[in-house]
Amino acid sequence: MSSITDCGFSIKKISMKKITSFFFLLFSFVFQIFPISRSDAALLVIKCEDETVFTQSEIQFVLEIPHTKLSDFSFDIPELPLGVHYISSTKSASTDLSGDTTAIVRLWFSFSDAGEIKLPPIVAKIGKRTVEIPFEKVDVYENPSLVSPKFSVSMSPNRKIHLGEKVTLEIFIQYCTQIVNFSANLHKDAILTERFRDDFCKDKNRKTEFSPEKIKIAVFDFQPLVTGDVRLPDISVDAIAYNGSRVRISLSDLPNVVTVLDADSSIENKKSGRGAHLFDGAFDSTPLIDESAEFAEWTESDLETLQQMRILERRRVFLFSDFEERKKFEEKHGLKDTEDEPSTKLFILISSLAIVSIVLHIVTGVLKKIKFSVTFAILFVVALVFSVRQNLIVSQQFAVSLGGEIFSVPETSAISNGTKSIPKGLRVKIVEDMGEWVYIECSETSGWTKKNTLLLIY
């Protein structure tokens, strides 16, 4: 203590204001280097501004980077797939009332081909941090000025019926603004009954805005009177395309044959079917009613949505509404009682609390503020215990299953572990990573599977 006094400086005179200023300057310096956190950077997505995307058109994408100045942001355009062309880009910034700056990047591309397009991510530098920022998927449609109207038909029950039965024909049209003529010509070997015709078929204009949807324009009951292959009625329309041209399209341009079987085989099947099939499966292990049919089928988009939901859970502190939304989404697809994701933000918050507590414990100890020092010491111990516990949880690697197979050893030639695949959407724990192969554990099974059959929750 005497040495400190000899230096002409007394630690007792250190004010809390100076301590606060020191930490403020420290955090300001860190913020200058990393204006956006790693978890926030991982949530950045380049979004398409156009509601409908057409081929041979300039399509705008926008990226907004919060808490970032234009001088702190740069990026490179990736190598683009065939049929995708980069046009130009601009950078701008917006500042809110609190003085916080958001960097805004606009990029323009054009597409030669229709279909679902996923552009490769751009490599960007935000402050001193390098990140890959993905584009959202876009559905590209044929340019309305280039595409012609299209006809389609839906048949129920199917193209093979028995004599005396009816086929319901639902007629659809696509890429059309108006129908100026509608006709249905029937041959003598069948009966055609009109059940519905849309106003669109009565020379009434449709909205001029483009829509890729199929429009149901008519419904008919079609009953053949002879056996064999019977042609469908000749239903034709004169349609006006989006480019103003008039096009004649007909049902005869599509596969238009129904196979009609003799009525006797239908009656015989029904007689034998009433008794023969009544107890089919009664002693099988498979239930008569497939309960999975009550649930929605998993699509690639659904699985990616579930992955993003779980990633968001990891990156938020208070998650009650997120938990509920995700659980409802999973239950809609047949998954129940699934586990929740641990919060990495909560781990960072508790760890920060532990660091601040130990610093304040030391400072208040030097200042001989015993009560405060003891309080901060207790707070540090509690925060440290929770921090260690939370770290053990968040350090584990989990993933969403795409429905891959399980093997006893990491080789495709190995025998599967008694189960064809992991259920889609199931959350699995990655125990060991060997590049292309990972060893996983879940409530259903455990074993080796290909990494590309999983969506990582990071």
Side-chain angles (χ1 to χ4, degrees):
M1 185 68 184
S2 60
S3 62
I4 297 176
T5 307
D6 291 341
C7 292
F9 180 76
S10 176
I11 295 180
K12 291 183 178 181
K13 294 181 179 179
I14 298 176
S15 64
M16 292 301 292
K17 184 177 181 180
K18 290 183 179 179
I19 296 172
T20 304
S21 300
F22 170 75
F23 280 106
F24 176 76
L25 291 173
L26 179 62
F27 286 129
S28 298
F29 175 73
V30 174
F31 185 77
Q32 290 288 336
I33 300 176
F34 304 110
I36 186 171
S37 68
R38 188 181 299 276
S39 58
D40 288 339
L43 295 177
L44 294 175
V45 177
I46 306 171
K47 298 182 178 180
C48 182
E49 285 290 277
D50 297 271
E51 185 174 346
T52 309
V53 179
F54 302 119
T55 57
Q56 313 300 332
S57 300
E58 293 188 3
I59 308 303
Q60 181 181 180
F61 291 80
V62 175
L63 169 64
E64 296 185 358
I65 310 101
H67 321 304
T68 304
K69 299 177 182 178
L70 285 180
S71 58
D72 295 331
F73 176 78
S74 62
F75 68 95
D76 295 319
I77 298 296
E79 184 177 347
L80 300 174
L82 291 175
V84 180
H85 309 282
Y86 168 71
I87 300 173
S88 65
S89 63
T90 62
K91 293 199 297 184
S92 60
S94 65
T95 306
D96 59 22
L97 296 176
S98 65
D100 188 25
T101 302
T102 298
I104 302 173
V105 181
R106 300 181 188 276
L107 305 102
W108 284 268
F109 297 88
S110 67
F111 304 95
S112 300
D113 304 315
E116 186 180 76
I117 304 294
K118 177 69 172 179
L119 295 175
I122 66 170
V123 178
K125 201 165 188 178
I126 306 174
K128 299 294 183 180
R129 177 171 284 128
T130 300
V131 296
E132 287 191 351
I133 305 177
F135 287 81
E136 70 176 1
K137 289 181 181 178
V138 291
D139 290 317
V140 182
Y141 298 98
E142 294 288 354
N143 195 305
S145 62
L146 305 175
V147 71
S148 297
K150 294 181 180 179
F151 229 0
S152 61
V153 60
S154 172
M155 300 175 58
S156 176
N158 50 47
R159 291 184 178 272
K160 184 176 289 187
I161 61 173
H162 292 90
L163 189 64
E165 295 179 341
K166 298 178 181 179
V167 175
T168 299
L169 305 176
E170 294 183 325
I171 313 300
F172 297 86
I173 199 166
Q174 193 178 15
Y175 306 132
C176 173
T177 62
Q178 184 184 13
I179 291 178
V180 294
N181 184 32
F182 183 99
S183 61
N185 299 318
L186 182 67
H187 45 80
K188 63 181 181 180
D189 295 330
I191 299 173
L192 186 68
T193 305
E194 182 177 310
R195 290 172 46 189
F196 164 78
R197 187 182 297 192
D198 192 83
D199 288 341
F200 191 41
C201 300
K202 302 174 183 177
D203 296 343
K204 292 191 176 183
N205 285 329
R206 184 187 171 208
K207 292 181 180 180
T208 56
E209 292 85 3
F210 174 81
S211 172
E213 67 176 329
K214 294 180 179 181
I215 303 172
K216 185 191 293 185
I217 58 175
V219 178
F220 295 92
D221 280 339
F222 176 65
Q223 183 177 3
L225 301 177
V226 294
T227 58
D229 291 339
V230 179
R231 289 185 297 107
L232 296 177
D234 183 16
I235 299 174
S236 304
V237 299
D238 288 333
I240 305 299
Y242 281 98
N243 59 11
S245 62
R246 179 166 172 166
V247 181
R248 180 74 171 178
I249 53 178
S250 173
L251 199 61
S252 60
D253 299 330
L254 304 173
N256 64 343
V257 174
V258 174
T259 301
V260 184
L261 304 177
D262 189 81
D264 294 339
S265 61
S266 173
I267 296 171
E268 184 178 336
N269 287 339
K270 287 180 181 178
K271 286 181 178 179
S272 60
R274 284 177 184 169
H277 300 293
L278 183 62
F279 296 104
D280 276 359
F283 300 101
D284 293 342
S285 58
T286 305
L288 290 176
I289 299 176
D290 183 8
E291 296 182 355
S292 63
E294 300 176 5
F295 304 113
E297 290 289 335
W298 284 107
T299 64
E300 182 181 349
S301 177
D302 290 335
L303 292 167
E304 289 177 353
T305 299
L306 178 59
Q307 176 200 27
Q308 291 302 316
M309 285 180 170
R310 288 192 169 276
I311 288 174
L312 285 176
E313 283 184 25
R314 276 189 162 248
R315 294 174 181 173
R316 293 184 183 176
V317 180
F318 303 106
L319 316 148
F320 304 109
S321 59
D322 298 276
F323 282 146
E324 291 301 319
E325 182 182 356
R326 192 252 307 157
K327 286 183 181 294
K328 288 180 181 178
F329 185 75
E330 289 177 329
E331 288 176 0
K332 186 178 76 171
H333 292 83
L335 290 178
K336 293 183 178 180
D337 302 325
T338 55
E339 296 183 18
D340 301 326
E341 293 299 325
S343 171
T344 53
K345 284 287 183 69
L346 183 61
F347 165 67
I348 295 171
L349 184 64
I350 296 173
S351 300
S352 301
L353 180 61
I355 294 171
V356 172
S357 299
I358 192 63
V359 171
L360 293 176
H361 164 67
I362 294 171
V363 172
T364 51
V366 172
L367 296 175
K368 294 187 177 179
K369 303 290 186 181
I370 305 303
K371 290 184 179 179
F372 288 104
S373 181
V374 172
T375 301
F376 287 127
I378 295 172
L379 185 60
F380 165 71
V381 173
V382 173
L384 181 63
V385 171
F386 277 96
S387 177
V388 172
R389 177 182 176 276
Q390 191 71 8
N391 180 52
L392 293 174
I393 298 173
V394 299
S395 61
Q396 297 177 350
Q397 179 68 69
F398 294 93
V400 174
S401 168
L402 294 174
E405 283 189 296
I406 287 287
F407 298 90
S408 56
V409 294
E411 295 178 5
T412 52
S413 59
I415 300 174
S416 183
N417 276 4
T419 178
K420 293 182 178 179
S421 63
I422 317 166
K424 288 185 178 181
L426 194 66
R427 177 181 183 258
V428 299
K429 178 182 176 182
I430 297 176
V431 179
E432 187 176 349
D433 190 332
M434 290 184 59
E436 291 186 10
W437 291 87
V438 290
Y439 190 89
I440 63 102
E441 292 179 351
C442 62
S443 57
E444 301 287 331
T445 185
S446 62
W448 294 94
T449 189
K450 284 289 193 75
K451 187 186 286 186
N452 59 10
T453 63
L454 302 174
L455 295 175
L456 298 182
I457 304 168
Y458 46 86

